[in-house]
Amino acid sequence: MFVLSISSLKGGVGKTTVTLGLASAAWARGLRTLVVDLDPQSDVSTGLDARAQDGATIADVLRSPKPSTVRAAIARSSWGEGGHGVIDLMVGSPAALSFDTPNPSIREIWRLEEALAIVEADYDLVLIDCPPSLNALTRTAWAASDRVAVVTEPGLFSVAAADRALRAVDEIRRELSPRLQPLGIIVNRAKHQSIEHQFRLGELRDMFGPLVLSPALPERTSLQQATGAAKPVHLWPGSSAEEMAASFDTLLERIMRAGRLGPYANAAGTNDEAPVTRGRQRGRSKNEGAASGG
């Protein structure tokens, strides 16, 4: 199981839309996928059209990551009815905001990792939609992740936010979770006819080199329409939707290669790839087990 956080330290860049696009690509590819809605706005839960039958949510999981609670908070998306891959959702809730404190304890940070270990055998890929901040919820997500994808758009302030996010990923890797690495930067809402956007894209590539993932996602109404209808973009009609689906397929290939999923499962190891096996709280630094009583 490969865990990817989708993050941005600036709101309004389409982070949740990118999460749903990647989920659509995973669904179309046939991957067993769990989407974790860690953003208290819970927009990804709306986009996946799923609701836990007994009302459990991510807030209950963060409060007590027991197996019964974790499984109760997972619901099947209506997307799964099309005969492609499995798309499940760990349902979001505004109540998760109470866990987004600026100074979480070590035990609190590792609760999502504990929860995901319970369902490790059930999924190939986990996508975590993070809130646009660096408080406890984002750190909890990153501690449970193998990689972080930073979503930005080609604007001055968003470029600066991407730089802050990558620096924060490196800090979490050094201080908390040694396995954590950046997958790269996903550029969203790019207008290729815009001189300003072309300048900012060049600036991003100059600053971050190969960490800027291709392709940059163009601004298309079809993606917003599919999201608003709670449907995968891979099923939305029209050439614009096909273009967006192909872009997300390309990004998914990058994720699968990093996670050794599907045809990459037996690929020779590189520094870019995640470990083959995963284990409960496997990313802790040496002193954290004692600090948390583990």
Side-chain angles (χ1 to χ4, degrees):
M1 185 174 79
F2 183 71
V3 182
L4 174 69
S5 281
I6 295 94
S7 296
S8 173
L9 299 189
K10 180 182 182 298
V13 299
K15 166 186 59 65
T16 295
T17 303
V18 169
T19 302
L20 290 168
L22 292 173
S24 179
W27 172 81
R29 187 66 181 258
L31 296 178
R32 301 174 303 160
T33 304
L34 174 67
V35 180
V36 178
D37 192 353
L38 205 59
D39 190 334
Q41 295 185 62
S42 305
D43 290 338
V44 80
S45 294
T46 302
L48 284 171
D49 190 23
R51 181 177 301 175
Q53 292 184 357
D54 64 356
T57 70
I58 185 65
D60 300 293
V61 172
L62 295 174
R63 188 174 297 111
S64 177
K66 299 182 297 185
S68 58
T69 303
V70 172
R71 295 191 181 280
I74 295 175
R76 180 63 48 89
S77 169
S78 64
W79 293 10
E81 298 170 359
H84 290 73
V86 170
I87 294 288
D88 285 350
L89 171 73
M90 189 172 287
V91 180
S93 169
L97 187 62
S98 63
F99 296 92
D100 202 25
T101 59
N103 297 300
S105 69
I106 291 296
R107 185 179 295 277
E108 289 170 336
I109 284 177
W110 288 104
R111 281 180 178 164
L112 183 58
E113 166 81 348
E114 294 174 10
L116 293 181
I118 293 166
V119 296
E120 183 172 347
D122 299 339
Y123 301 103
D124 304 308
L125 176 65
V126 177
L127 302 173
I128 306 176
D129 189 51
C130 300
S133 69
L134 195 57
N135 286 336
L137 289 177
T138 295
R139 281 183 270 178
T140 296
W142 290 3
S145 297
D146 298 295
R147 298 287 187 276
V148 176
V150 176
V151 179
T152 190
E153 59 185 7
L156 172 61
F157 300 114
S158 297
V159 170
D163 184 49
R164 291 197 306 273
L166 289 175
R167 291 177 186 274
V169 170
D170 186 62
E171 181 180 349
I172 294 295
R173 179 190 61 79
R174 287 185 285 106
E175 297 182 359
L176 186 67
S177 182
R179 79 174 186 279
L180 183 68
Q181 295 183 36
L183 180 81
I185 297 171
I186 298 175
V187 181
N188 192 31
R189 297 175 177 169
K191 299 178 181 178
H192 295 293
Q193 297 81 8
S194 167
I195 295 176
E196 169 68 11
H197 280 203
Q198 288 302 314
F199 176 80
R200 296 302 174 190
L201 281 168
E203 185 178 42
L204 281 166
R205 293 184 177 114
D206 288 342
M207 290 178 66
F208 305 114
L211 280 177
V212 180
L213 302 179
S214 293
L217 299 172
E219 188 171 44
R220 297 287 185 268
T221 57
S222 58
L223 184 59
Q224 304 301 325
Q225 291 167 345
T227 299
K231 299 294 183 183
V233 70
H234 286 69
L235 286 186
W236 203 251
S239 58
S240 173
E242 291 178 1
E243 177 190 14
M244 293 305 301
S247 294
F248 283 114
D249 287 341
T250 300
L251 291 173
L252 181 67
E253 285 291 330
R254 178 68 180 78
I255 294 166
M256 293 177 66
R257 189 165 66 249
R260 300 186 193 175
L261 302 177
Y264 305 103
N266 297 319
T270 70
N271 291 335
D272 184 51
E273 294 171 336
V276 174
T277 58
R278 294 174 59 89
R280 184 176 180 269
Q281 300 174 1
R282 64 208 166 281
R284 291 187 180 212
S285 63
K286 294 180 180 178
N287 296 326
E288 284 161 6
S292 64

